[in-house]
C-alpha cells in the first residue's frame, strides 16, 4: 500500500534493520525498542489489522507466529521466555496499521499489560 509505513520499509524506501525475510513474511528491529530484543514480524502482504485474518489467510497467520518463534530461538530467548504480542486497533495501542507481531525478549515482563 502506497503510504503505509511498513510497506515503505518493505520497499526499502525507509531504512530498517532486517532480521528475516522470505516471500511471505519479514522481520525487522523496532526503531523504539521496549526490550533488549524487540522486533516486528509482519506479512509482506498489506493487512491493516488482525481483523483481516480469516480462513482465507490462516496459513500466513500461522507463518507469522512460526517465524517469530524461530527468531526467538535463534536469539536464545526460548528457554527464558519472551513476549509475542499484536495490538489490534488504536484502543489496544496499534499505531501502525499494517499487521505486526512484536517479539520482545531479554527482560522480564509484567502482566497484565497497561
Ligand atoms: P504498534 O503501536 O502499532 O503496536 O507498533 C508499532 C511499532 O512500530 C512501534 O513499536 C514503533 O516503535 C515501531 N515503528 C514505528 N515507526 C517505525 C519505523 O519507521 N521503523 C521501525 N523499525 N519501527 C517503527
Ligand atoms: Zn502496509
Amino acid at each position: 500500500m502506497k503510504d503505509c509505513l511498513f510497506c515503505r520499509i518493505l520497499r526499502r524506501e525507509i531504512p530498517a534493520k532486517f532480521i528475516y525475510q522470505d516471500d511471505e513474511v519479514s522481520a525487522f528491529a523496532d526503531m523504539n525498542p521496549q526490550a533488549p530484543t524487540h522486533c516486528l514480524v509482519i506479512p509482506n502482504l498489506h493487512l491493516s489489522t488482525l481483523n483481516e485474518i480469516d480462513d482465507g489467510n490462516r496459513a500466513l497467520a500461522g507463518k507469522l507466529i512460526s517465524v517469530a518463534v524461530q527468531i526467538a530461538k535463534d536469539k536464545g530467548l526460548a528457554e527464558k521466555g519472551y513476549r509475542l504480542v499484536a495490538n489490534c486497533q488504536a484502543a489496544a495501542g496499534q499505531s501502525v496499521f499494517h499487521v505486526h507481531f512484536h517479539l520482545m525478549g531479554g527482560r522480564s515482563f509484567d502482566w497484565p499489560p497497561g
Side-chain angles (χ1 to χ4, degrees):
M1 192 193 244
K2 190 171 174 290
D3 294 326
C4 167
L5 181 63
F6 288 174
C7 286
R8 295 189 68 199
I9 286 176
L10 291 173
R11 292 197 301 268
R12 304 300 201 271
E13 292 172 9
I14 296 171
K17 186 178 173 227
F18 275 82
I19 293 155
Y20 177 88
Q21 188 158 49
D22 64 26
D23 54 358
E24 293 179 313
V25 171
S26 300
F28 52 86
D30 196 293
M31 65 156 17
N32 183 22
Q34 302 301 311
T37 294
H38 185 174
C39 66
L40 303 170
V41 184
I42 74 168
N44 296 343
L45 177 73
H46 179 87
L47 301 171
S48 297
T49 77
L50 282 182
N51 292 328
E52 291 174 41
I53 301 284
D54 58 21
D55 280 354
N57 53 24
R58 70 184 344 159
L60 177 61
K63 185 160 180 184
L64 288 170
I65 295 174
S66 64
V67 166
V69 170
Q70 190 58 54
I71 293 169
K73 289 177 177 171
D74 291 347
K75 291 191 171 290
L77 301 172
E79 193 80 6
K80 248 194 158 173
Y82 54 89
R83 182 163 288 177
L84 185 61
V85 63
N87 300 321
C88 181
Q89 302 284 35
Q94 185 174 8
S95 61
V96 177
F97 286 79
H98 180 128
V99 163
H100 52 282
F101 281 98
H102 297 257
L103 170 63
M104 294 178 284
R107 67 169 173 86
S108 299
F109 297 93
D110 292 333
W111 194 265

